[in-house]
Amino acid sequence: EVILLLARRRGPGQWLVKLNDGFGSGHGHAVVDVATSHLNDIDLLLRSNLRPVCPDISRDSFLAQISMRGAVVEEFLKPVLNGEMSNPSAVGYLAKRAGSDADVQILGTHDQLIGRYHDFIGCSFPARSSYREELLWNTQRILEQLARVGVSGHVGIDFVARSGPNGLGPWTLDATEINLRQTGSTTPNRTARAIVEGTWLADGSLVDGVGKEVVYTGTDGLISPHYRGIPARRLVAALRREPALSYDPARARGAVPHLWTTLEPFGKIGATFIGR
């Protein structure tokens, strides 16, 4: 019924179906193409053509999860003809105060790298200057609204940014998701905040003690079967033998690993790469 309503309002197109809770990294997403506005046809379409984004999730399993968890339906946004498209995000923190709304803190803006299964692969800080100001403005409005309804703690907000044709003209931003938790970009942000001696500016950038901009990229997805069996202490020792790679606080440059507990058993580790 929701797809029928949206198809009548917006016209035929491609729609994203998201399970309401409990799934991340694209496992709760499915896509369906709708070229009709007849309810019976759409019902048949869901049962025959709805395609879960992750190949290890079956259509029947996904439909069963909808009946248990509920779902939301969104228009699947695509780039403007010959235009660019990116996936900016913002992380914030709502510090609870007794008897009043939470204090709103915007911790940082990022451009996310999203995989083919809608999974988070990594991020870069800060988000593009082309739309960073609007991104900060929208994030502030969303966080203030969340504070008014009693939310506190970490929040991540995802957007889709689209340029005009040939990369020209103003960028448009659409908010797509609010995560009431720490996200993939939270760890790189907290790492930089903990170890870089600098100043976080109102425009969403970070500068070191002499006023030079500091940037970073982060990922949870350094994965290889060759990494299995490597203990964390061995990686630490190897980094210390590579001064150009290990983090140097004096220069605010270098790599800072995280996800230590998954390295030896699974061959997976994350890292934040700080530089200029």
Side-chain angles (χ1 to χ4, degrees):
E1 291 173 351
V2 171
I3 288 178
L4 175 66
L5 175 67
L6 292 172
R8 285 176 174 169
R9 182 185 300 167
R10 303 285 290 175
Q14 193 171 69
W15 303 91
L16 182 69
V17 182
K18 278 183 180 176
L19 295 179
N20 199 39
D21 64 69
F23 288 82
S25 297
H27 285 84
H29 293 184
V31 176
V32 61
D33 297 302
V34 177
T36 179
S37 59
H38 298 292
L39 181 58
N40 290 338
D41 293 337
I42 289 179
D43 188 58
L44 177 63
L45 195 68
L46 287 173
R47 298 187 180 281
S48 60
N49 291 345
L50 180 132
R51 306 183 303 280
V53 171
C54 291
D56 55 343
I57 305 292
S58 71
R59 182 182 300 117
D60 288 344
S61 172
F62 193 92
L63 290 171
Q65 290 290 341
I66 290 177
S67 68
M68 290 188 292
R69 300 174 180 275
V72 296
V73 180
E74 302 175 350
E75 185 175 0
F76 195 94
L77 298 177
K78 296 181 179 180
V80 176
L81 183 64
N82 298 323
E84 290 186 70
M85 189 169 180
S86 64
N87 300 94
S89 68
V91 287
Y93 187 78
L94 302 178
K96 192 65 176 176
R97 296 183 299 177
S100 61
D101 296 345
D103 284 328
V104 172
Q105 303 172 28
I106 299 179
L107 302 179
T109 65
H110 303 87
D111 283 313
Q112 299 182 96
L113 181 61
I114 304 298
R116 62 184 299 187
Y117 303 132
H118 301 181
D119 48 331
F120 173 85
I121 294 176
C123 66
S124 60
F125 166 90
R128 286 193 195 189
S129 59
S130 308
Y131 45 71
R132 194 189 312 158
E133 183 177 353
E134 185 179 356
L135 180 65
L136 288 165
W137 184 77
N138 279 288
T139 298
Q140 181 73 25
R141 291 175 60 209
I142 293 170
L143 292 177
E144 288 173 355
Q145 179 63 23
L146 291 173
R148 281 193 287 270
V149 298
V151 175
S152 62
H154 284 94
V155 179
I157 306 168
D158 295 336
F159 295 81
V160 168
R162 296 180 292 173
S163 74
N166 301 312
L168 303 175
W171 287 76
T172 60
L173 280 180
D174 290 280
T176 60
E177 187 163 292
I178 297 173
N179 295 292
L180 303 181
R181 57 176 174 82
Q182 298 187 47
T183 66
S185 54
T186 306
T187 294
N189 182 266
R190 293 182 68 175
T191 298
R193 285 181 171 272
I195 66 176
V196 175
E197 295 185 5
T199 303
W200 295 78
L201 303 180
D203 67 355
S205 61
L206 169 64
V207 296
D208 64 14
V210 295
K212 292 185 177 181
E213 186 175 22
V214 177
V215 301
Y216 61 78
T217 61
T219 181
D220 290 341
L222 298 173
I223 308 170
S224 171
H226 299 295
Y227 302 160
R228 290 179 184 164
I230 297 177
R233 63 181 180 275
R234 180 175 159 196
L235 177 59
V236 171
L239 284 171
R240 285 175 173 165
R241 292 194 299 269
E242 296 288 344
L245 183 61
S246 58
Y247 184 72
D248 179 358
R251 298 187 305 136
R253 288 188 179 187
V256 185
H258 61 271
L259 283 179
W260 296 101
T261 56
T262 62
L263 175 60
E264 191 168 2
F266 304 113
K268 174 178 178 175
I269 197 162
T272 302
F273 306 95
I274 301 173
R276 293 199 180 96

